Amino acid sequence: MSEKFLEIRNIVKVYPTPEGGEVRALDDVSLDIAAGEFFILLGPSGCGKTTLLRSIAGLEYPDSGEIVLLGDRIDDKPPYERPVNTVFQSYALFPHMTVGENIAFGLEMEKIEKDEVAKRVVEALAQVKLSGYENRLPSQISGGQQQRVALARALAKKPKVLLLDEPLSALDLKLRRGMQVELKRLQRETGITFVFVTHDQEEAMSMGDRIAVFSEGKIIQLDTPVNVYRRPVNAYVADFIGETNLIEGTIVASGISLPGGNILPTNQLAEDSVVPNSGKVTVAIRPEDLVIANDGIIGGTVRDVIFTGDSVRVYVTVGDIEVIASLASYGTAIPAQGSHVTLNPENRAARTVAS
Ligand code: ADP
Ligand code: MG
């Protein structure tokens, strides 16, 4: 990561609740975003993502902390003095204006000259693959196309930072996947820094250069998609990002004692796993890292088998817990319900996680 581009320093934002209490929407959040980065704010509903985005946009003022863009403090500036632009989930196009007029409007407000406005409208529409749609009204295009217009409108202003608050959540899955690929490409081509909010971990992983995982107003982990997935810092991240078997165990001489009398030798764990000398640990194993083996480490009884097309999900009762294994659809013998199987963690992908 090169020089500092967007610095978020110790941001705190507390809202009063109607009941007389308070919510710490942002609880001392600090992070640096690099120029040209596709940065993701990820977390469940209510964890503070929108509040942070609105604070960067100037639609919300933090109680304390600083926001610095290219060396300039912007957190006390009004929104229109910040070189940022926002795309919201609800696209809010003006219904009585054409697509072209919707995009031009913000530029005209900025007193940009007519020829330049026209040029930027054409360019922005081409960027979102809507060339030729200038004269349509929002009601004459689909929801997905309306979202593209909202994006074009924001891009046309040539912001230094584009803030996107769950912009794809109103689209159906297939359309959303297509837009994810396009947004990623558009970000690369324009070189504009994107700060993208989502609660969808798959969306976060497929687009982000880096992901900040939030919980209750705090950043729990900030890392690349691969590291957030493969090296979650705690059980919360392991569970929120993808799917994980979180298994409570106890340290014994031969390894980690798991439910059902199974012993996992510690040399099966990821090399950077932290293994205490004694006491309880939580072991995280992804379903896709478990295989059915002839003489595997974790024995149990098959409760359910679900064929999903690209995988076979096997639910195995192990002692008093349930472990999910996701097997490749081809080349795998599908175990019968009720049969006894043993599972092996593969690739040393099992790891201990802080609870
Ligand atoms: P997210 O976008 O991650 O879903 P938000 O940033 O919208 O979360 O909200 C974070 C927390 O702050 C939530 O508990 C929410 O209820 C609260 N909150 C957000 N905006 C306001 C507001 N204007 N007044 C009171 N509470 C708010
Ligand atoms: Mg939100």
Side-chain angles (χ1 to χ4, degrees):
M1 226 119 305
S2 55
E3 71 184 76
K4 282 178 181 165
F5 177 72
L6 179 59
E7 300 165 63
I8 312 286
R9 295 263 163 268
N10 307 105
I11 295 291
V12 174
K13 179 73 184 179
V14 179
Y15 291 112
T17 62
E19 299 78 29
E22 56 178 36
V23 184
R24 293 184 86 75
L26 296 173
D27 192 2
D28 196 13
V29 170
S30 296
L31 58 95
D32 287 336
I33 297 175
E37 191 168 23
F38 200 131
F39 195 91
I40 307 270
L41 309 178
L42 173 69
S45 179
C47 70
K49 307 179 296 293
T50 294
T51 303
L52 180 56
L53 212 66
R54 289 172 60 83
S55 302
I56 299 171
L59 304 169
E60 208 73 74
Y61 290 85
D63 299 332
S64 59
E66 296 181 4
I67 302 175
V68 179
L69 180 61
L70 285 166
D72 269 348
R73 230 183 123 171
I74 60 165
D75 52 85
D76 47 3
K77 290 187 178 170
Y80 54 84
E81 284 182 16
R82 305 183 188 200
V84 307
N85 217 322
T86 313
V87 178
F88 299 98
Q89 178 186 347
S90 57
Y91 353 113
L93 300 178
F94 297 113
H96 59 286
M97 287 186 191
T98 65
V99 163
E101 287 164 352
N102 263 283
I103 298 170
F105 182 74
L107 304 174
E108 286 161 356
M109 296 294 285
E110 285 183 11
K111 310 251 185 296
I112 293 172
E113 70 168 289
K114 241 178 146 102
D115 288 356
E116 174 69 12
V117 170
K119 201 182 109 208
R120 289 210 205 167
V121 169
V122 169
E123 186 188 20
L125 280 172
Q127 283 175 328
V128 300
K129 295 187 176 159
L130 280 179
S131 296
Y133 283 74
E134 286 82 341
N135 297 321
R136 302 269 190 111
L137 287 170
S139 59
Q140 294 169 325
I141 57 177
S142 71
Q145 289 169 332
Q146 289 177 35
Q147 183 57 284
R148 283 162 194 264
V149 175
L151 191 62
R153 182 175 58 181
L155 288 169
K157 294 186 103 174
K158 301 194 182 293
K160 290 206 161 50
V161 183
L162 188 62
L163 307 170
L164 303 108
D165 196 353
E166 313 223 15
L168 308 183
S169 56
L171 308 180
D172 66 52
L173 182 62
K174 211 163 175 185
L175 213 49
R176 199 158 79 220
R177 289 232 170 105
M179 275 301 282
Q180 288 167 4
V181 176
E182 279 191 47
L183 273 176
K184 182 83 181 154
R185 201 203 56 231
L186 203 56
Q187 191 272 332
R188 224 173 15 234
E189 285 172 6
T190 59
I192 296 171
T193 303
F194 278 26
V195 183
F196 187 105
V197 162
T198 182
H199 64 269
D200 178 343
Q201 50 91 18
E202 199 181 314
E203 182 161 287
M205 298 225 292
S206 60
M207 289 194 296
D209 293 319
R210 285 188 306 155
I211 301 173
V213 184
F214 279 75
S215 172
E216 296 178 2
K218 287 190 164 73
I219 297 176
I220 308 301
Q221 185 166 6
L222 198 174
D223 217 325
T224 59
V226 170
N227 280 344
V228 164
Y229 190 82
R230 284 286 164 212
R231 301 167 170 224
V233 294
N234 63 17
Y236 170 81
V237 176
D239 201 36
F240 189 72
I241 308 283
E243 191 182 21
T244 305
N245 295 294
L246 291 170
I247 307 172
E248 302 297 326
T250 309
I251 302 289
V252 293
S254 50
I256 299 172
S257 169
L258 302 179
N262 298 287
I263 305 283
L264 178 66
T266 49
N267 66 11
Q268 296 288 315
L269 294 170
E271 274 172 55
D272 60 337
S273 267
V274 178
V275 183
N277 291 325
S278 63
K280 296 205 176 303
V281 285
T282 302
V283 178
I285 312 177
R286 301 275 182 201
E288 73 266 24
D289 292 325
L290 282 169
V291 293
I292 293 186
N294 282 333
D295 193 15
I297 291 168
I298 304 169
T301 307
V302 175
R303 190 179 63 92
D304 282 303
V305 178
I306 293 174
F307 180 74
T308 69
D310 57 356
S311 69
V312 179
R313 294 169 62 79
V314 184
Y315 295 76
V316 182
T317 304
V318 174
D320 56 356
I321 65 161
E322 182 168 85
V323 171
I324 304 173
S326 178
L327 312 176
S329 180
Y330 286 95
T332 311
I334 299 176
Q337 196 180 5
S339 64
H340 180 81
V341 292
T342 61
L343 302 168
N344 263 342
E346 282 213 305
N347 309 320
R348 297 194 64 175
R351 58 175 48 247
T352 58
V353 285
S355 48

